[in-house]
Amino acid sequence: MPKQTSAARRTSIAGLLAATSLALTLSGCAGYDVTAPADARADAPAAAVQAKDAQLAAADGAKNGDGKNGEAKGSGGGGRTTPPGGTGDVDCRKAKCVALTFDAGPSENTPRLLDILKKEKVHATFFLLGENHVDKRPAEVKRIDAEGHELANHTWSHQILTDIEPAEAKRELSRVQDAVRKITGKTPRLMRPPQGRTDEEVSRISKDLGLAQVLWSVTAKDYQTNDSALITKRVLEQTGRDGIILLHDIYKGTVPAVPGILKELKKRGYTVVTVSQLLSPAKAEPGMVYRP
């Protein structure tokens, strides 16, 4: 059985994450440009827009029984509705979308989370941590991919990329790229820098590795509490159209909060999507920083 994440390690990660909001408040976005999802969509190349529109038309035809193959992919039997990281038939140019993301897993809580997402027919983006997570839980990584979620990179050991040498920062990212590719045959295209801290050098490294950077607009600060009701309240208070929700599936209070969060978001008219779906018809560009 894979080794469980130690309490000491969780405390260490929690301590690092606890500084996130303060760090971003103090530093703002100085030193790098940020692109909002709406701006990315608006600036999408004409060819990408045409391809997206054609994809939507084909999906609509399939739903109405007009598809040449007789049925829409993922129309039954628990199959995926979109490929991992795919954009499917969601159009966030028109729909009221919000992206759901989870950091620092997989963990012992991830299977339950995946059960919930499957039941609710929701796909999320998972920013995976390498050490003691990806390397200890390859089965969960495979399942995340197989069930249509988006694989992304959260570094190997949660080092602050702006505080270490460029060569080490590159290793922090490339080790996860290699590990995920070995397990799934796919290489992540998105990464989230620990504490959201990035700069021009990190952007250069990310570009070299084919990684776009994704920050967030909603945080429950679930590293500070196991109160699922409070986590739910914080998420719902902050969520708006084109938001990116940051949660962690390594903490005990987070996964139990997800059903209530999803229920209320759907009640409010939101379509819950992956980051790539949120940006479509644009594609995340390596080195760029995306945040609502």
Side-chain angles (χ1 to χ4, degrees):
M1 181 176 178
K3 183 179 178 181
Q4 301 291 327
T5 305
S6 68
R9 175 161 179 75
R10 285 184 187 161
T11 301
S12 176
I13 293 175
L16 288 171
L17 290 168
T20 301
S21 295
L22 178 59
L24 289 176
T25 300
L26 293 176
S27 64
C29 296
Y32 57 90
D33 294 326
V34 173
T35 300
D39 292 335
R41 294 194 300 264
D43 293 339
V49 174
Q50 292 172 359
K52 178 70 173 180
D53 291 341
Q55 180 187 42
L56 292 168
D60 187 58
K63 286 180 180 178
N64 293 327
D66 298 330
K68 294 180 180 180
N69 295 325
E71 63 179 358
K73 189 174 184 179
S75 58
R80 66 167 57 125
T81 54
T82 61
T87 56
D89 57 359
V90 178
D91 188 358
C92 293
R93 294 170 297 179
K94 299 177 181 179
K96 184 181 174 184
C97 292
V98 61
L100 180 62
T101 72
F102 294 92
D103 280 14
S107 74
E108 65 271 21
N109 304 315
T110 304
R112 182 182 175 192
L113 171 60
L114 291 171
D115 290 343
I116 293 168
L117 296 177
K118 186 174 184 178
K119 179 180 178 181
E120 297 296 329
K121 299 181 180 179
V122 166
H123 290 125
T125 301
F126 285 78
F127 290 89
L128 304 174
L129 196 64
E131 188 175 35
N132 292 324
H133 295 273
V134 170
D135 62 348
K136 300 296 184 182
R137 295 184 173 274
E140 283 87 345
V141 176
K142 287 181 180 179
R143 184 180 169 191
I144 289 167
D145 174 55
E147 295 186 2
H149 304 288
E150 186 166 34
L151 301 165
N153 189 327
H154 195 44
T155 74
W156 186 257
S157 61
H158 210 267
Q159 292 195 62
I160 307 305
L161 299 178
T162 54
D163 288 351
I164 57 180
E165 293 297 320
E168 181 60 22
K170 188 172 184 177
R171 282 193 293 272
E172 277 285 303
L173 294 169
S174 64
R175 289 185 70 183
V176 176
Q177 298 291 87
D178 293 343
V180 171
R181 181 168 54 246
K182 183 177 180 180
I183 293 168
T184 67
K186 299 169 186 176
T187 305
R189 297 178 56 195
L190 306 176
M191 82 89 159
R192 176 167 284 154
Q195 294 189 13
R197 290 173 59 182
T198 186
D199 57 20
E200 290 183 2
E201 184 62 32
V202 173
S203 296
R204 182 192 64 78
I205 293 167
S206 299
K207 184 175 182 179
D208 289 346
L209 293 173
L211 288 164
Q213 302 172 83
V214 180
L215 303 184
W216 61 91
S217 59
V218 179
T219 174
K221 298 183 180 178
D222 50 355
Y223 45 82
Q224 294 179 343
T225 180
N226 285 324
D227 185 337
S228 298
L230 179 59
I231 290 169
T232 301
K233 179 175 182 290
R234 286 173 173 175
V235 168
L236 296 175
E237 284 179 346
Q238 297 173 57
T239 298
R241 183 173 182 175
D242 283 345
I244 299 177
I245 298 170
L246 165 62
L247 293 170
H248 300 82
D249 50 329
I250 58 174
Y251 300 120
K252 293 181 179 179
T254 302
V255 172
V258 172
I261 291 170
L262 294 177
K263 180 179 180 180
E264 184 61 27
L265 288 176
K266 290 178 180 180
K267 183 179 178 182
R268 295 181 185 185
Y270 285 100
T271 299
V272 181
V273 298
T274 67
V275 171
S276 288
Q277 287 175 318
L278 186 66
L279 298 178
S280 180
K283 291 186 177 180
E285 296 184 25
M288 295 284 289
V289 181
Y290 295 91
R291 190 191 69 181

